[in-house]
Amino acid sequence: MRDLAMAFLGHSTVRLEVAGRVVLTDPVLTSRVGALTRVVPPPDPATWRDADLVLISHLHGDHLHLPSLRLLGVDVPVVVPRGAGAWLRRRGFTRVTELGIGETFTEDALAVTAVRAAHSGHRWGPRLTHGPRAPAIGHLIQAPGVRVYSAGDTDLFDEMAGIADVDVALLPVWGWGPNLGPGHLDPVRAARAVGLVRPGIAVPVHWGTLAVAGLARTPRMRRLLAEPPREFAAAVAAAGHETAVVVAPPGTEVPLGAAEGRA
């Protein structure tokens, strides 16, 4: 795919080079995120310091991570769900754009449209009610000849089938703990999402990066840090989908061209 380059920097952080821009999704760039510890090295600053645009899917601290955003600079352009802009501006960020579902941000040949996500939009998750709240979203990133669906955090929803003609889908396949809470995809449900979206290539994200401090070395957590993307690939194959699954370890380039060669 000549018009798109991609690197999986860990968790839900993906670097996309598209339409002459460097776009980062949900940047988490540090060795810790609150009570979570990073089990792989933080990404090389060369992979994120030239970001032209940041896309935030929702307000949870492992997706809207203020220390990581501050590493990028308070003047980095950030796209957030509608309703989150004032909260982020009060923290010093100066170039914040809000998108509601169905709304589009455009810059030259690049267009980013907010799409639905089935996930809690509250800063502190589904159980607490204080603090900021804005609907969780995914992003459809488009440029001439390129369509990328970045799901953010989400569970399955029927309208995924309307996200059509996608070249690449970035789909979450696990998380950071020994169990998944509501509003997430596991490997099997992520494979069902492939059946709805039918992308040319699926890249599993939201795995292999963060863990609760003290649990990372337990046998169950070691397995959950490594196996979900392989289970996802196996489930896609078992379902007979034509989508190519490309598994890239955190901190590595996503070899999109190799997937095209297999298709």
Side-chain angles (χ1 to χ4, degrees):
M1 193 171 297
R2 292 186 300 273
D3 298 323
L4 176 67
M6 186 179 296
F8 176 43
L9 304 188
H11 203 51
S12 282
T13 310
V14 177
R15 172 193 171 99
L16 300 98
E17 297 178 39
V18 58
R21 300 289 191 273
V22 173
V23 180
L24 292 183
T25 65
D26 291 344
V28 171
L29 309 172
T30 59
S31 59
R32 297 191 67 86
V33 178
L36 305 178
T37 187
R38 195 179 188 102
V39 298
V40 293
D44 186 333
T47 63
W48 51 257
R49 64 161 58 102
D50 58 347
D52 297 303
L53 183 65
V54 173
L55 306 180
I56 300 294
S57 64
H58 62 293
L59 298 184
H60 292 172
D62 59 326
H63 292 258
L64 197 172
H65 186 235
L66 290 172
S68 293
L69 285 181
R70 291 189 174 113
L71 286 175
L72 294 165
V74 295
D75 59 347
V76 66
V78 185
V79 173
V80 298
R82 182 159 298 283
W87 183 85
L88 195 57
R89 292 186 194 99
R90 286 197 297 271
R91 280 142 187 86
F93 293 89
T94 60
R95 301 176 66 186
V96 181
T97 299
E98 296 184 331
L99 286 184
I101 294 169
E103 296 178 339
T104 299
F105 168 88
T106 60
E107 188 174 77
D108 296 329
L110 179 67
V112 178
T113 301
V115 296
R116 185 189 166 202
H119 192 74
S120 167
H122 199 280
R123 175 69 172 169
W124 308 114
R127 295 177 179 84
L128 300 178
T129 58
H130 67 284
R133 180 183 181 88
I137 60 174
H139 298 99
L140 182 61
I141 303 155
Q142 300 178 83
V146 177
R147 285 170 59 90
V148 178
Y149 170 45
S150 178
D153 263 0
T154 189
D155 204 340
L156 283 169
F157 55 94
D158 291 341
E159 294 93 329
M160 277 186 177
I163 304 171
D165 301 321
V166 172
D167 299 296
V168 181
L170 309 176
L171 295 174
V173 298
W174 195 255
W176 46 256
N179 301 288
L180 283 176
H184 292 89
L185 295 174
D186 62 16
V188 172
R189 292 175 71 76
R192 290 176 58 191
V194 166
L196 292 172
V197 178
R198 302 185 302 280
I201 298 169
V203 179
V205 299
H206 211 254
W207 68 275
T209 309
L210 300 175
V212 177
L215 293 183
R217 296 183 180 180
T218 64
R220 174 174 172 79
M221 201 64 229
R222 284 201 304 268
R223 182 182 69 79
L224 289 172
L225 286 167
E227 292 302 318
R230 297 175 180 85
E231 294 173 358
F232 167 65
V236 171
H241 300 313
E242 296 181 359
T243 296
V245 176
V246 177
V247 177
T252 66
E253 293 185 5
V254 179
L256 299 174
E260 287 183 327
R262 290 195 302 271

